[in-house]
Amino acid sequence: MEAEQILKEATGLHASDIFIVVGRPVSYKINNQIECRGEARLAPEDTDRIVREIYALGQRSPDCVLETGDDDFSFSLAGISRYRVSVYRQRGSLAAVVRVIAFELPNPQELGIPETVLELGSRPKGLVLVTGPAGSGKSTTLACMIDRINQTRNSHVVTLEDPIEYLHRHNKSIISQREISTDTQSYAVALRSALRQAPDVILLGEMRDHETISVAMTAAETGHLVISTLHTLGAVNTIDRIIDVFPPSQQAQIRVQLSMVLQAVVSQQLLKRTDGGIVPAFEIMTCNTAIRNMIREAKTHQIETAIFSSAAEGMVTMDASLLKLCEQGTIPPEEAVMHSMQPDVMKKKLGL
């Protein structure tokens, strides 16, 4: 199969990812299940040809992956879809995983993204984090939040992404989308530059290291709304991860700074629906006085209880979200138990 044919077929089947790896047929991930297309296993020369064809479609040179063993980029096929490509070498041969991204921005209601999450974009300043494991839909949630800002706020939004996934058209806001390595050198460099570009909102694709986290918190402190992601699950793990990035001598100071700038942590997981589709489950923590004190005083282990007892403020624990989806019949009980933070407690609640 030719690369363009593979991309078009995957888009038509509503696949989320395409896998091009030696020793297996071209495979698509559909509703979180990987399915082979045909019987013919790919040989090294097949993956090499398909990957080079993808580079040609993206109008890029494969020199980077040939030199370093890794490359990431994104491109569009007119009238078909947009694609985020990760190319890598494995066992000496080229391989690629391609994420399929629709041109149209997703509808948050159809995806099950709560209004509480979308409204976080109306905060004038501070740090909002969307967290979860890889492939849990963080980028889609971020795109929906930026789209809501674009529809409702008169702002300058600067997005720093690696690579750019969803394309935003200017509406009420001006949207400046910058791609790491194509438009700028690194997250840290781009973030420092963004502060001189009169931004109201900064979307930071990922808080990867000590320097980026430090600049992001300073930006949130100086009157900007900073929205970013981390590969953590749960507000407690997220807060601890940020603090642990810094040396012990700075951690007390960082706790104080984080307690002041953090506005919310949204954690999400993708689950299999009873009808075969997928649905997200969300933990939502918004910072109130009690939670800010817990962060400052290193009592993060108490935050889970605080979220549970603050349901009236719109907060939701992950297990409460899973339980609700299960009671509605949206997900099977075993799926709720598998993704629960406290599986034994969840089993009792479900009578298993």
Side-chain angles (χ1 to χ4, degrees):
M1 289 176 78
E2 293 183 2
E4 189 169 350
Q5 183 186 351
I6 292 168
L7 296 173
K8 286 179 177 178
E9 183 182 64
T11 304
L13 292 169
H14 303 291
S16 60
D17 297 278
I18 305 164
F19 298 89
I20 299 160
V21 184
V22 168
R24 185 183 174 105
V26 173
S27 302
Y28 303 151
K29 183 181 273 189
I30 302 171
N31 289 333
N32 255 9
Q33 297 294 308
I34 297 175
E35 302 176 8
C36 294
R37 305 305 295 172
E39 300 292 324
R41 296 185 178 187
L42 296 172
E45 54 270 24
D46 298 321
T47 61
D48 188 277
R49 174 183 57 79
I50 294 169
V51 166
R52 287 177 183 273
E53 286 176 6
I54 290 172
Y55 270 105
L57 291 169
Q59 298 181 336
R60 283 176 63 100
S61 164
D63 290 350
C64 180
V65 72
L66 296 175
E67 287 172 16
T68 67
D70 294 281
D71 193 15
D72 293 287
F73 62 96
S74 58
F75 69 97
S76 301
L77 281 182
I80 309 297
S81 194
R82 189 166 171 78
Y83 304 92
R84 185 184 82 191
V85 187
S86 177
V87 184
Y88 55 99
R89 266 206 307 263
Q90 63 99 31
R91 298 188 192 173
S93 61
L94 289 179
V97 178
V98 184
R99 172 67 51 89
V100 182
I101 304 157
F103 281 129
E104 316 81 47
L105 285 162
N107 183 321
Q109 282 74 36
E110 289 177 7
L111 295 177
I113 299 173
E115 188 65 23
T116 320
V117 173
L118 299 174
E119 286 175 356
L120 294 172
S122 63
R123 307 260 170 147
K125 62 180 181 178
L127 180 63
V128 173
L129 298 174
V130 177
T131 74
S136 59
K138 297 187 295 296
S139 297
T140 303
T141 299
L142 290 178
C144 290
M145 290 173 74
I146 295 299
D147 189 46
R148 172 62 64 88
I149 291 168
N150 197 14
Q151 291 172 21
T152 58
R153 286 181 60 170
N154 182 256
S155 305
H156 181 208
V157 181
V158 178
T159 79
L160 311 174
E161 303 170 71
D162 185 20
I164 290 171
E165 295 191 25
Y166 293 98
L167 302 177
H168 296 271
R169 295 183 180 89
H170 309 299
N171 191 346
K172 280 195 172 179
S173 293
I174 296 173
I175 312 280
S176 300
Q177 291 186 265
R178 306 191 69 199
E179 185 165 286
I180 307 304
S181 76
T182 302
D183 300 319
T184 183
Q185 186 180 337
S186 67
Y187 275 121
V189 169
L191 187 52
R192 290 184 193 280
S193 299
L195 296 176
R196 298 189 290 273
Q197 292 155 11
D200 299 291
V201 180
I202 300 170
L203 176 110
L204 183 60
E206 191 180 340
M207 297 212 300
R208 287 185 176 171
D209 52 38
H210 163 275
E211 186 183 8
T212 312
I213 292 173
S214 184
V215 179
M217 290 211 293
T218 303
E221 206 170 31
T222 53
H224 307 87
L225 177 64
V226 179
I227 304 172
S228 190
T229 71
L230 277 170
H231 290 287
T232 49
L233 186 58
V236 177
N237 291 332
T238 301
I239 291 163
D240 289 343
R241 170 75 64 84
I242 290 171
I243 291 161
D244 288 346
V245 163
F246 292 86
S249 59
Q250 293 180 28
Q251 289 182 1
Q253 175 199 337
I254 294 303
R255 284 186 182 281
V256 173
Q257 189 180 12
L258 187 61
S259 71
M260 292 190 294
V261 302
L262 189 63
Q263 293 290 329
V265 178
V266 176
S267 288
Q268 61 184 85
Q269 300 185 80
L270 278 186
L271 316 166
K272 292 179 195 169
R273 295 175 61 103
T274 314
D275 61 12
I278 51 175
V279 64
F282 290 89
E283 176 188 281
I284 303 169
M285 182 204 80
T286 52
C287 283
N288 56 22
T289 306
I291 289 174
R292 291 188 193 283
N293 288 337
M294 289 170 193
I295 297 171
R296 191 179 299 114
E297 296 165 13
K299 295 178 179 175
T300 49
H301 59 280
Q302 297 177 4
I303 288 176
E304 185 82 19
T305 308
I307 298 171
F308 180 76
S309 60
S310 302
E313 297 176 37
M315 295 196 218
V316 185
T317 64
M318 181 58 74
D319 282 9
S321 181
L322 292 168
L323 190 61
K324 184 179 179 183
L325 287 170
C326 194
E327 288 172 345
Q328 291 170 343
T330 307
I331 61 171
E334 57 270 20
E335 191 75 359
V337 172
M338 188 192 306
H339 291 89
S340 171
M341 309 298 268
Q342 296 175 303
D344 294 337
V345 177
M346 182 62 77
K347 281 182 181 177
K348 285 180 183 175
K349 287 181 178 176
L350 295 171
L352 298 177

